[in-house]
Amino acid sequence: MPQKVILDVDTGSDDAVALMLAALSPELDLVGATTVNGNTLVHFCTENTLRVFDAIGVQVPVYEGMALPLSRPNPPRAASSHAIHGDLLDLPPATSRKQPQHAVDWLIETYLASAGDIILVPVGPLTNVAAAIRQAPQILEKIPEIVIMGGAHEVGNRTALAEFNIWCDPEAARIVMNCGRPIRLVPLDATSRALVSLEDCARFRRIGTPAAIATAVMVEQRIRAYDAHQPARRTGAAPVHDALAVCAILDPGVITTHFIHVDVEVQGPLTDGTTVCDFRRGRGRAPNVHFAVDADEAKFVAMLGAILGRTA
Ligand code: RIB
Ligand code: CA
């Protein structure tokens, strides 16, 4: 039986690759996608998500969610974020339509009706997930695991310390991090060690499927933007953050994790939105998060090629 998953996305080019991986992996059953304010305004994230599914010919229900963080105004957008994603993905306008139900209501209804077998995969700000937990805490016992792209220990991307998804809505992230359910966190520490290169993109183009070609186009744009604004560990390559979270469900060996305590700073003038990671052994608070400190780049890129080479 394929593993059921729900992706909560702020689509975005790396969310787009994550969505294609989840939709095209025979080992996964993508039950639905929920959208949230983040990389761009939520209605653009919704349109982008629909565009991705249309482009690869799959029908997955898309539910639009929160337009603002839980208790803050919308954060200003960085120029680098615009260069990496833009508002709308360079794919044909969507012909399929979003579902009428709000994402938070759908998450609650779906989890309450489930057999407790749907892994939740948030790869944007955690606003929808926190809102659902706050509104209906009884869903928690039906969520077997939450696999999150977010956070950083070594170095941030939105501030010196904070990663974008957590920084956008730290109050929401704090609720989720402390929810008591099993959490795997795929932070920048791991995604920055699993880069996709221009040579990899050339290989994806040669594979020739709609998903592989779309990925090549989007990742090449990411690489140009990273080289110009936000250099990765080497030039001519960039992280595709959200895709690594989906790959970690398919093959946990693609990341290396430590079981540690993680909380979220919600007010420091220099540290707002930082994931505070306690790596002390046997001291401090009990571990709550499997925190990825490393990733296997070769395995990740091979997984991308194998899955994106599939058609619906
Ligand atoms: O920091 C990387 C994360 O921020 C990714 O999820 C990307 O899509 C953006 O949301
Ligand atoms: Ca994202």
Side-chain angles (χ1 to χ4, degrees):
M1 285 287 280
Q3 170 63 57
K4 292 181 185 172
V5 292
I6 291 173
L7 260 64
D8 185 63
V9 289
D10 61 332
T11 316
S13 57
D14 57 332
D15 306 73
V17 180
L19 288 164
M20 292 190 281
L21 291 174
L24 293 173
S25 295
E27 294 88 358
L28 298 180
D29 172 7
L30 180 55
V31 176
T34 51
T35 64
V36 67
N37 172 65
N39 279 319
T40 180
L41 301 176
V42 71
H43 63 273
F44 289 131
C45 298
T46 305
E47 166 68 16
N48 286 339
T49 306
L50 293 164
R51 283 185 183 194
V52 169
F53 291 144
D54 284 357
I56 60 169
V58 296
Q59 290 185 331
V60 178
V62 177
Y63 299 83
E64 186 166 289
M66 302 292 277
L68 291 172
L70 281 190
S71 51
R72 302 180 174 217
N74 223 351
R77 271 187 93 195
S80 58
S81 165
H82 194 79
I84 292 169
H85 306 277
D87 282 329
L88 283 167
L89 294 178
D90 190 14
L91 292 170
T95 52
S96 48
R97 294 282 162 255
K98 67 178 178 184
Q99 302 296 311
Q101 197 176 12
H102 192 280
V104 173
D105 296 333
W106 179 75
L107 283 171
I108 293 170
E109 192 180 291
T110 303
Y111 272 105
L112 290 181
S114 77
D117 56 352
I118 311 173
I119 294 180
L120 182 56
V121 192
V123 294
L126 288 155
T127 319
N128 283 341
V129 181
I133 292 171
R134 225 166 44 171
Q135 212 171 300
Q138 65 274 29
I139 66 170
L140 281 172
E141 64 198 47
K142 293 291 195 85
I143 305 179
E145 187 181 15
I146 309 177
V147 180
I148 301 168
M149 191 281 130
H153 178 59
E154 283 177 346
V155 60
N157 60 359
R158 194 55 184 80
T159 71
L161 294 175
E163 181 279 330
F164 178 83
N165 287 341
I166 306 298
W167 172 87
C168 272
D169 195 346
E171 285 79 12
R174 187 167 224 193
I175 289 172
V176 176
M177 227 58 82
N178 288 294
C179 76
R181 300 306 296 157
I183 293 178
R184 246 185 304 170
L185 198 61
V186 182
L188 298 179
D189 306 64
T191 64
S192 67
R193 291 177 164 85
L195 304 182
V196 180
S197 68
L198 289 171
E199 294 74 29
D200 297 325
C201 292
R203 273 195 295 278
F204 297 159
R205 277 181 192 277
R206 285 197 294 275
I207 291 173
T209 55
I213 292 172
T215 297
V217 171
M218 287 188 281
V219 175
E220 284 162 358
Q221 182 186 340
R222 292 180 70 79
I223 293 170
R224 284 192 293 275
Y226 269 83
D227 282 352
H229 298 279
Q230 202 175 304
R233 283 172 188 267
R234 59 181 194 272
T235 55
V240 188
H241 308 285
D242 299 344
L244 186 62
V246 173
C247 287
I249 298 168
L250 291 164
D251 181 350
V254 76
I255 54 173
T256 305
T257 59
H258 290 308
F259 193 34
I260 61 166
H261 188 271
V262 178
D263 208 334
V264 178
E265 178 57 80
V266 295
Q267 59 184 3
L270 298 176
T271 56
D272 194 26
T274 300
T275 41
V276 179
C277 302
D278 190 346
F279 281 91
R280 294 174 296 172
R281 286 177 198 280
R283 295 182 291 151
R285 289 163 67 189
N288 59 341
V289 165
H290 296 271
F291 185 95
V293 293
D294 200 0
D296 183 333
E297 180 177 287
K299 187 180 268 190
F300 174 58
V301 173
M303 290 176 81
L304 293 186
I307 301 166
L308 299 169
R310 304 181 67 88
T311 47

